[in-house]
Amino acid sequence: MSLLADWLLRHSVVMCLLLHSLVLMTFCFHHAATSCSKNCYCTESESGGKTVRCSNLQLTEIPQDIPNDTRRVYLDFNLLTTVPTNAFAGLTQLVELDLSHNELSELEPGAFRGLGSSLQFLDLSSNKLGNLTPDAFEGLRARANLTNNPWHCNCNLQMAMPRVDLEPASLTGVVCHTSEPEKIGVEGLAFLLAPDIDLCVEMKRTTDVAMLVVMFGWFTMVISYLVYYVRANQEDARRHLEYLKSLPSRQGKSEESSTISTVV
Ligand SMILES: *[C@@H]1O[C@H](CO)[C@@H](O)[C@H](O)[C@H]1NC(C)=O
Ligand SMILES: *[C@@H]1O[C@H](CO)[C@@H](O)[C@H](O)[C@H]1NC(C)=O
């Protein structure tokens, strides 16, 4: 009986130790796993640093648990619709960022804030971007792939181009899908490579015509009012005069008051 109890006790101690180490090991593995973003696949090379692959995961939001020593992030083939402000803040060693083949239609101001000194390549190709927002690329000198987006070429886009900090050649990827005005025929062209086209002149012309119409309208109103005013006054003065003439006694009074006002 005591032998059995002894056996049980000894083995339970062993079991307990085993269990304990198992728990510790699980904890360790779990800890290792959290140094990569959830669901993503991470690799580390001695020369190239950490790479985080989150491709084709149906992500609708940019993961916020990407380790801060990551050098390459692949978020291509997901369902991202926007890049919020400071989305990658803290990833001070990021060299390459792939956001291609998503549903991006918007980049918020400061979307790539904090990446200015490290990022060299940014892939935004095959998205839904229509207009260029310089505030999104503030301080970013990376080479960007902007091809395969439905760029809407208008005066806004033309004015935004020189304000974008990206490596200038990147802007050749802005191929117009639609344009404003439509008749200018810039569709299918890389906007930067069509230097004769000025989309703002057209807009200015339209604005000028509108201004002219408005000013003409005002002018007509003022003139009509003046004419009306003068006519009404003439009529009034004439009627007043006739009235005064018909009342000789009051005429004297009014002459009196006019002398007083002259004295005053
Ligand atoms: C990453 O974050 C840790 C802790 O938050 C910090 O100690 C470390 O310096 C950071 N590394 C970089 C490269 O920013
Ligand atoms: C830009 O992206 C398109 C489509 O994703 C790709 O075909 C092209 O090779 C890329 N260009 C560069 C310079 O990487």
Side-chain angles (χ1 to χ4, degrees):
M1 193 63 193
S2 86
L3 214 78
L4 189 69
D6 196 41
W7 187 88
L8 265 175
L9 196 76
R10 219 178 298 160
H11 279 76
S12 70
V13 166
V14 170
M15 286 296 271
C16 193
L17 277 174
L18 261 174
L19 217 83
H20 206 87
S21 56
L22 208 77
V23 165
L24 268 176
M25 267 162 74
T26 320
F27 185 78
C28 270
F29 275 122
H30 182 72
H31 192 72
T34 52
S35 75
C36 177
S37 184
K38 191 168 157 272
N39 295 330
C40 300
Y41 171 69
C42 296
T43 53
E44 199 151 0
S45 80
E46 279 156 41
S47 56
K50 190 172 275 175
T51 298
V52 176
R53 290 177 196 276
C54 315
S55 310
N56 212 346
L57 290 176
Q58 312 219 320
L59 297 178
T60 53
E61 274 173 23
I62 291 162
Q64 287 304 297
D65 56 353
I66 299 171
N68 64 358
D69 57 347
T70 302
R71 290 174 67 86
R72 291 183 176 77
V73 173
Y74 296 95
L75 282 160
D76 50 326
F77 292 97
N78 280 296
L79 304 170
L80 306 173
T81 54
T82 181
V83 179
T85 307
N86 287 325
F88 302 98
L91 305 185
T92 53
Q93 300 181 16
L94 201 64
V95 173
E96 185 178 344
L97 176 58
D98 189 349
L99 289 164
S100 69
H101 298 94
N102 275 282
E103 309 279 321
L104 296 177
S105 59
E106 191 189 13
L107 307 170
E108 285 180 17
F112 304 108
R113 193 172 288 157
L115 306 181
S117 55
S118 62
L119 199 71
Q120 286 169 21
F121 187 65
L122 172 65
D123 198 342
L124 287 168
S125 67
S126 303
N127 274 290
K128 302 242 161 84
L129 297 171
N131 57 343
L132 208 53
T133 43
D135 296 346
F137 301 105
E138 57 181 21
L140 211 62
R141 299 222 150 57
R143 182 159 54 91
N145 189 342
L146 300 173
T147 61
N148 262 323
N149 279 286
W151 296 109
H152 181 61
C153 292
N154 58 6
C155 185
N156 279 346
L157 184 118
Q158 179 175 324
M159 292 202 297
M161 283 241 173
R163 292 179 46 223
V164 172
D165 294 328
L166 293 172
E167 186 221 348
S170 307
L171 296 178
T172 57
V174 179
V175 174
C176 304
H177 183 69
T178 51
S179 73
E180 184 187 340
E182 248 171 83
K183 62 173 162 56
I184 205 137
V186 77
E187 279 95 350
L189 295 179
F191 186 75
L192 201 70
L193 304 180
D196 299 339
I197 288 166
D198 188 343
L199 295 173
C200 292
V201 163
E202 288 293 322
M203 204 179 81
K204 240 181 272 163
R205 210 170 284 159
T206 327
T207 321
D208 284 353
V209 168
M211 282 286 281
L212 217 70
V213 168
V214 168
M215 274 170 71
F216 183 75
W218 273 108
F219 191 68
T220 316
M221 266 170 66
V222 167
I223 294 289
S224 338
Y225 180 71
L226 273 177
V227 168
Y228 165 79
Y229 182 79
V230 167
R231 283 228 182 120
N233 258 15
Q234 268 177 350
E235 186 79 4
D236 223 36
R238 194 176 52 77
R239 243 189 275 145
H240 190 64
L241 213 69
E242 273 169 16
Y243 175 68
L244 290 180
K245 272 178 190 164
S246 69
L247 293 169
S249 60
R250 286 194 69 172
Q251 200 178 1
K253 238 185 190 169
S254 82
E255 261 176 15
E256 229 177 71
S257 65
S258 82
T259 4
I260 288 167
S261 67
T262 321
V263 170
V264 170

